[in-house]
C-alpha cells in the first residue's frame, strides 16, 4: 500500500469527515454549555456519567471506568474531578468495601446544574447534527448516528 493507494485515500477522507463532524458537534455543544451554564463539554460529560451511577450492583464507577467513559486519561479525569469538586459539584469518598478505592458522586448542586444543562446539551447536539446533515460529506455519518441502537430519531 502506498500513500496514493485509492483505498487509503478513501479511508483518510472518511476519517477526515468523521473528525469534522465530531469537531462541529463538540464546538456547538461547548459554546451552548459555556454560555448557558459555565460548563465545558468535558465537565458536562463527566457530570452526566457520574450522575447515572446508582447504589445497586456495579452502580459506582472506579476512576478508570470514569476516564474510559469520558475519553480522558486517568490523570486528566482526576484533575477534572478535582476542579468540579472545588466548585461543589462533586464529592469523593472511600469505597466501603475496599478502602483503597475512591468513588465520586455528584452533589445536589451538581445534579441541579446537570438537570439544567441537559436540555441545552441536547438542543445543541440536535442543532449540530441537523446542520451537519445538510452537508453531503457528513450526511451519511449523521444518518449512521441516528441509526445507532437506542438513538432518538430526528423530528
Amino acid at each position: 500500500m502506498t500513500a496514493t493507494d485509492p483505498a487509503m485515500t478513501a479511508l483518510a477522507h472518511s476519517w477526515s469527515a468523521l473528525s469534522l463532524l465530531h469537531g462541529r458537534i463538540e464546538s456547538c455543544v461547548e459554546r451552548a454549555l459555556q454560555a448557558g451554564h459555565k460548563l465545558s463539554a468535558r465537565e458536562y460529560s463527566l457530570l452526566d456519567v457520574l450522575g447515572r451511577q446508582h447504589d445497586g450492583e456495579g452502580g459506582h464507577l472506579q476512576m478508570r471506568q470514569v476516564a474510559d467513559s469520558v475519553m480522558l486519561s486517568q490523570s486528566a479525569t482526576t484533575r477534572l474531578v478535582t476542579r468540579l469538586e472545588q466548585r461543589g459539584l462533586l464529592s469523593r469518598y472511600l469505597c466501603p468495601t475496599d478502602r483503597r478505592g475512591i468513588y465520586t458522586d455528584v452533589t445536589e448542586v451538581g445534579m441541579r446544574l446537570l438537570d439544567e444543562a441537559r436540555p441545552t446539551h441536547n438542543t445543541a447536539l440536535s442543532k449540530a447534527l441537523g446542520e451537519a446533515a445538510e452537508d453531503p460529506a457528513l450526511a451519511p455519518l449523521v444518518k449512521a448516528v441516528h441509526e445507532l441502537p437506542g438513538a432518538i430519531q430526528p423530528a
Side-chain angles (χ1 to χ4, degrees):
M1 237 182 258
T2 66
T4 58
D5 182 335
M8 288 304 295
T9 302
L11 182 62
H13 177 71
S14 297
W15 172 247
S16 179
L18 182 59
S19 182
L20 178 62
L21 177 63
H22 178 267
R24 284 187 184 180
I25 291 169
E26 190 168 54
S27 178
C28 184
V29 168
E30 181 80 25
R31 283 190 310 271
L33 288 171
Q34 281 290 349
H37 308 283
K38 305 281 189 266
L39 276 177
S40 72
R42 292 276 188 207
E43 291 168 337
Y44 174 86
S45 292
L46 181 65
L47 286 172
D48 186 50
V49 165
L50 293 173
R52 295 175 193 277
Q53 295 182 120
H54 56 83
D55 289 330
E57 180 70 28
H60 284 272
L61 302 172
Q62 297 173 344
M63 196 56 68
R64 173 186 46 78
Q65 295 168 304
V66 174
D68 289 346
S69 295
V70 296
M71 296 174 284
L72 289 172
S73 67
Q74 272 190 262
S75 60
T77 302
T78 298
R79 288 191 301 273
L80 185 56
V81 165
T82 299
R83 282 197 312 270
L84 293 179
E85 185 178 32
Q86 289 169 348
R87 289 174 58 188
L89 304 175
L90 298 177
S91 64
R92 290 188 246 200
Y93 64 95
L94 290 175
C95 171
T97 58
D98 179 359
R99 304 298 284 173
R100 295 169 298 172
I102 297 176
Y103 288 139
T104 305
D105 272 338
V106 181
T107 63
E108 283 185 37
V109 172
M111 284 304 289
R112 256 192 323 275
L113 180 59
L114 178 60
D115 289 342
E116 292 168 5
R118 187 169 278 119
T120 303
H121 172 271
N122 293 346
T123 298
L125 178 58
S126 255
K127 176 184 176 205
L129 285 169
E131 290 172 358
E134 301 298 318
D135 183 332
L138 301 179
L141 294 171
V142 173
K143 182 177 186 263
V145 167
H146 288 299
E147 291 175 352
L148 289 170
I152 296 172
Q153 298 305 311

